[in-house]
Amino acid sequence: MSLKIHRIPAFRDNYFWLFHQDGASGATVVDPGDAEPVLRALATLGLQLDAILATHHHPDHIGGIPALSNLGQIPVYGPYSNKIPFVTHPLADGDRVEFGGLVFQVIAVPGHTLDHLAYYMSTDIDRPVVFCGDTLFAGGCGRLFEGTPQQMLESLKKIASLDSRTLIYCAHEYTQANLEFASVVEPGNTALTQRRRQVDLLRANGTPTIPTDLATELKTNPFLRCNLPEVIRSAKLRDGSTNFDASEANVFRVIRSWKDKFQPGSRPP
Ligand SMILES: [Zn+2]
């Protein structure tokens, strides 16, 4: 079986994802924050919309759902949450859900928001894929708007434990800025230095850097590396306390709040 995934760029740096089985005309859209670019993509590709999938309730992920679902009573799958009133098929951790013959596993990943879900598919395709919204980004992770650092760390670990060949379809093109921050946290990481150079070249040409893959993230994304010496050392320096708590959750907390304040061009602590 072959899965086709099309990127729909929207707003400043969002990607909506449109997928279908190769040869099938019915497609599913993930996180349509705006209806217009989805309708254009469907027309260009000669596809019809069969289902809508949401990862979490932020407007840039769900804003287009009312207009799209009204087209033909299209089912809307997403978290059980009063913040997405138009979900017709509420989902929760451990559910399995099928779109056009493609079966996805639902994984709860609270942290960025409390209702956040990721959708993972690993069977019958060459490489597993995950649609993870604003949880794991290429070179980074989502901000903590609702959850605790511990929750987000556990959510990221769920994604990190998937097949390392998994293609990561996140919802924003943040890679370049994320890797700049990552390089400050891990200046000694040569895989990261190489990746940053590649991504800078891609972005100079306006080329997307998503999807990324899990193996690359495990080697270069500091938020998946909070148990490693250089990340711990940087977090400790940043934190500045004499009795630094070097637990993974605390290292993650320090790195995440550091990133919140990070400005391009910042120097190591
Ligand atoms: Zn969000």
Side-chain angles (χ1 to χ4, degrees):
M1 181 188 303
S2 176
L3 170 65
K4 286 273 186 204
I5 305 179
H6 306 276
R7 175 188 300 99
I8 306 176
F11 306 126
R12 211 179 84 164
D13 49 34
N14 283 69
Y15 295 134
F16 312 153
W17 302 106
L18 186 66
F19 69 84
H20 60 98
Q21 255 197 69
D22 199 9
S25 61
T28 300
V29 69
V30 184
D31 282 352
D34 186 11
E36 201 53 43
V38 178
L39 294 171
R40 274 201 306 272
L42 289 165
T44 304
L45 296 162
L47 298 168
Q48 84 210 20
L49 194 60
D50 274 356
I52 298 168
L53 190 53
T55 60
H56 68 293
H57 68 78
H58 283 158
D60 60 319
H61 297 252
I62 63 169
I65 293 181
L68 291 171
S69 61
N70 283 340
L71 290 176
Q73 300 211 315
I74 293 162
V76 181
Y77 296 80
Y80 181 78
S81 159
N82 57 11
K83 292 176 175 164
I84 320 181
F86 30 76
V87 165
T88 57
H89 295 66
L91 299 170
D93 191 46
D95 284 350
R96 294 170 75 79
V97 59
E98 185 182 326
F99 303 101
L102 304 161
V103 179
F104 284 80
Q105 183 185 328
V106 179
I107 306 171
V109 285
H112 176 70
T113 65
L114 291 176
D115 63 359
H116 206 304
L117 299 178
Y119 303 99
Y120 178 63
M121 182 185 174
S122 62
T123 49
D124 302 329
I125 49 172
D126 297 339
R127 277 181 88 166
V129 300
V130 65
F131 297 104
C132 59
D134 292 352
T135 299
L136 179 64
F137 288 127
C141 74
R143 279 178 188 253
L144 303 185
F145 286 111
E146 297 177 9
T148 64
Q150 181 74 49
Q151 273 177 318
M152 186 60 148
L153 180 64
E154 281 167 21
S155 295
L156 291 173
K157 279 173 175 283
K158 288 186 189 175
I159 297 175
S161 69
L162 301 174
D163 185 325
S164 66
R165 296 175 313 124
T166 300
L167 294 169
I168 313 280
Y169 288 84
C170 56
H172 289 276
E173 179 63 63
Y174 288 161
T175 317
Q176 196 170 26
N178 283 342
L179 293 181
E180 181 177 349
F181 174 72
S183 300
V184 175
V185 178
E186 286 193 90
N189 182 338
T190 51
L192 172 58
T193 308
Q194 281 172 17
R195 184 183 187 193
R196 198 177 162 203
R197 211 174 294 138
Q198 287 164 356
V199 163
D200 285 347
L201 282 172
L202 290 171
R203 295 309 295 153
N205 298 321
T207 307
T209 64
I210 313 296
T212 175
D213 66 78
L214 185 54
T216 301
E217 296 311 314
L218 291 170
K219 279 185 263 176
T220 56
N221 187 327
F223 296 100
L224 302 182
R225 299 166 59 78
C226 291
N227 58 341
L228 295 176
E230 191 174 27
V231 179
I232 295 170
R233 190 177 58 79
S234 290
K236 186 178 174 186
L237 280 168
R238 171 74 184 180
D239 186 71
S241 63
T242 42
N243 288 328
F244 181 69
D245 168 9
S247 69
E248 204 173 357
N250 191 52
V251 171
F252 178 82
R253 180 190 66 79
V254 171
I255 303 275
R256 183 55 260 180
S257 71
W258 181 7
K259 173 69 166 63
D260 289 344
K261 299 179 187 76
F262 182 77
Q263 299 292 330
S266 295
R267 295 192 118 48

